[in-house]
Amino acid sequence: MATLKAVVRTKKELNTVYIRISHNSHTDYIPTSMIVHKSGVRKGEITDHNVMANCAIMIKKYVDRINNVDISLWTVQEVKKFLVSDSGAISFSDFANVYVNRMRDDGRDKPDANYMAALHSLERYFGKRQIDF
């Protein structure tokens, strides 16, 4: 389970705000576009309410994305890469495989072979094994 928290990493006049990711006993940071004045930081914790409100929105978005996948075997760098990628794409290949397996379970062997042939043709056309919607 990954934990996320808004933090500052320096003690300057103006500090960049980071989202700290802790996962499997390792830590990494995602930089944000927010900056907090030193008066908005007390004992290393961000106390500026506007900054914390914006960070809470970002963290909620990240948590929602994390909850849709199984990250238990991922490294913290893989989690970070997943969170910062703008790709919220859904895999067409995975969807098609599930659909074909349901057809096979229902005893519809002939159509499932046609669908798999079509999926493999699409994958060859795009030159990759995972096609997104």
Side-chain angles (χ1 to χ4, degrees):
M1 175 64 188
T3 58
L4 306 169
K5 183 178 180 180
V7 296
V8 292
R9 297 175 68 185
T10 59
K11 295 183 180 183
K12 299 179 185 175
E13 186 75 21
L14 297 173
N15 301 290
T16 302
V17 177
Y18 294 87
I19 304 296
R20 181 179 65 207
I21 308 166
S22 299
H23 181 65
N24 291 339
S25 302
H26 298 289
T27 304
D28 206 343
Y29 297 89
I30 300 173
T32 67
S33 60
M34 292 176 273
I35 295 176
V36 63
H37 188 266
K38 70 178 181 180
S39 65
V41 179
R42 180 167 290 125
K43 295 182 182 177
E45 298 288 325
I46 301 171
T47 57
D48 186 323
H49 296 292
N50 292 328
V51 171
M52 288 305 295
N54 289 330
C55 288
I57 292 168
M58 290 179 68
I59 290 172
K60 182 179 181 336
K61 181 180 81 167
Y62 289 157
V63 168
D64 289 343
R65 288 192 66 199
I66 288 174
N67 285 337
N68 290 329
V69 294
D70 180 20
I71 63 167
S72 59
L73 300 177
W74 290 8
T75 65
V76 71
Q77 289 82 14
E78 290 172 326
V79 173
K80 177 183 176 181
K81 183 179 177 183
F82 173 73
L83 291 177
V84 297
S85 69
D86 289 333
S87 168
I90 300 170
S91 172
F92 175 77
S93 298
D94 293 342
F95 169 78
N97 283 320
V98 168
Y99 185 78
V100 168
N101 287 335
R102 285 184 188 158
M103 290 176 73
R104 190 174 297 132
D105 292 343
D106 291 342
R108 299 172 54 199
D109 294 330
K110 183 112 175 152
D112 84 4
N114 291 338
Y115 278 96
M116 283 307 289
L119 176 62
H120 291 307
S121 294
L122 275 173
E123 289 172 345
R124 272 194 309 274
Y125 175 76
F126 285 111
K128 55 185 180 178
R129 298 284 302 159
Q130 285 293 324
I131 301 170
D132 294 333
F133 276 106

